[in-house]
Amino acid sequence: MMLKLKHTALAIGLSCLTMSASHATEVQIRTVLGDVNINLFDNTTPQTVENFLSYVNSGAYANNVVHRSEPGFVIQAGGFQYNAALPLDSVPTGSAVENEPELSNRRGTIAMAKLSGNPDSATSQWFINLSDNSANLDVQNGGFTVFGQVLGDGMDIIDEIAALSRFDLGGAANAAPLRNYSQADLAAGVDITDEHLVIITDVVVTDSATVTHSELNPPANTLINQDNSGGGSSGSSGGSIGYLGLLGLALLAFKRKIMK
């Protein structure tokens, strides 16, 4: 498979990762398994959208890899590129963006990943919620910033990615979904290539209007202001156990920290 490499754009480096002058409320994530259209919430989470678009415009998401899959929870990308060989290359990142936990982490939303214990540490990595993760992610680590929503049948493709078997590629890619690759292949020492990785060939702006899909009404994050454990330096908390009502969810929150 021929990969579209954008070394020229990336060579500009961190200077590209500044605030973009354009606003876009719809982008398309182009993957080897199909295209996923995303509506961005410019007006609700303006700094996060602007940050995300700076990486889109720099070419940082070309040949990006879905490096993490947690079935029933999230798939994650934005941090690593495949440039014809393993290990994966890290995406150059700019300044972290201020957290904007205004919207709820429901199924089909896209949100920013960040460092544990630091609410304002998101840079290039993002994840798509496979389930209603609001009870956990709306309060954990200051709340995770939802900045867009999958459109149409895009979740069919996301679910297809989430259903793939996962393999440890090392480092942060220790639960990477792979195509056409099995445990038998692993045991036989079959090399992992672009034929197996879930590659995002590019992310492009498809509608640069300031407001699109006004019919969408994403639920607000109503938990963040009701829970005292969600902000500050709490990196693994999924919220107060008394508020959630389930001790098991505390264990789930510990296992399901969204980290870069």
Side-chain angles (χ1 to χ4, degrees):
M1 175 190 299
M2 295 295 293
L3 295 175
K4 180 169 59 175
L5 301 177
K6 290 193 174 181
H7 293 298
T8 301
L10 290 177
I12 299 175
L14 300 184
S15 63
C16 277
L17 303 181
T18 56
M19 302 299 275
S20 169
S22 64
H23 287 272
T25 54
E26 189 172 337
V27 298
Q28 187 174 78
I29 300 174
R30 296 175 175 173
T31 83
V32 292
L33 293 177
D35 299 336
V36 179
N37 291 322
I38 306 280
N39 186 78
L40 305 179
F41 298 126
D42 306 57
N43 294 330
T44 308
T45 55
Q47 295 179 80
T48 304
V49 168
E50 202 73 37
N51 174 74
F52 178 77
L53 288 175
S54 72
Y55 288 96
V56 170
N57 295 334
S58 76
Y61 294 143
N63 301 326
N64 212 273
V65 174
V66 178
H67 69 273
R68 182 188 180 200
S69 173
E70 301 292 345
F73 185 45
V74 301
I75 65 165
Q76 187 169 334
F80 303 95
Q81 290 177 311
Y82 179 74
N83 289 311
L86 293 177
L88 300 172
D89 293 333
S90 295
V91 168
T93 58
S95 299
V97 64
E98 183 178 349
N99 201 34
E100 297 177 300
E102 301 294 333
L103 301 174
S104 187
N105 283 267
R106 306 297 179 91
R107 172 175 164 80
T109 57
I110 183 172
M112 296 303 297
K114 53 188 174 180
L115 297 174
S116 177
N118 188 348
D120 299 323
S121 60
T123 54
S124 68
Q125 292 194 40
W126 46 266
F127 62 91
I128 293 177
N129 285 294
L130 301 174
S131 303
D132 181 350
N133 296 320
S134 57
N136 178 8
L137 300 186
D138 282 7
V139 293
Q140 185 189 122
N141 198 5
F144 286 84
T145 298
V146 167
F147 64 97
Q149 181 174 328
V150 175
L151 298 170
D153 58 1
M155 284 304 293
D156 292 344
I157 295 170
I158 300 302
D159 288 337
E160 185 178 353
I161 295 172
L164 294 171
S165 297
R166 303 176 300 156
F167 295 84
D168 187 352
L169 305 184
N174 60 5
L178 296 184
R179 306 172 292 134
N180 306 314
Y181 198 85
S182 65
Q183 289 293 335
D185 293 325
L186 179 64
V190 176
D191 289 337
I192 296 171
T193 71
D194 56 309
E195 297 293 336
H196 308 116
L197 297 166
V198 179
I199 292 178
I200 296 169
T201 58
D202 208 353
V203 179
V204 299
V205 173
T206 55
D207 192 336
S208 59
T210 303
V211 177
T212 58
H213 297 283
S214 58
E215 76 281 3
L216 297 178
N217 187 26
N221 180 352
T222 60
L223 301 181
I224 189 67
N225 293 325
Q226 299 178 27
D227 186 275
N228 294 326
S229 66
S233 61
S234 176
S236 60
S237 171
S240 168
I241 298 304
Y243 181 77
L244 295 177
L246 291 174
L247 178 62
L249 194 55
L251 298 175
L252 183 67
F254 178 78
K255 293 179 181 178
R256 291 181 168 182
K257 292 185 292 182
I258 300 294
M259 298 178 64
K260 292 190 287 181

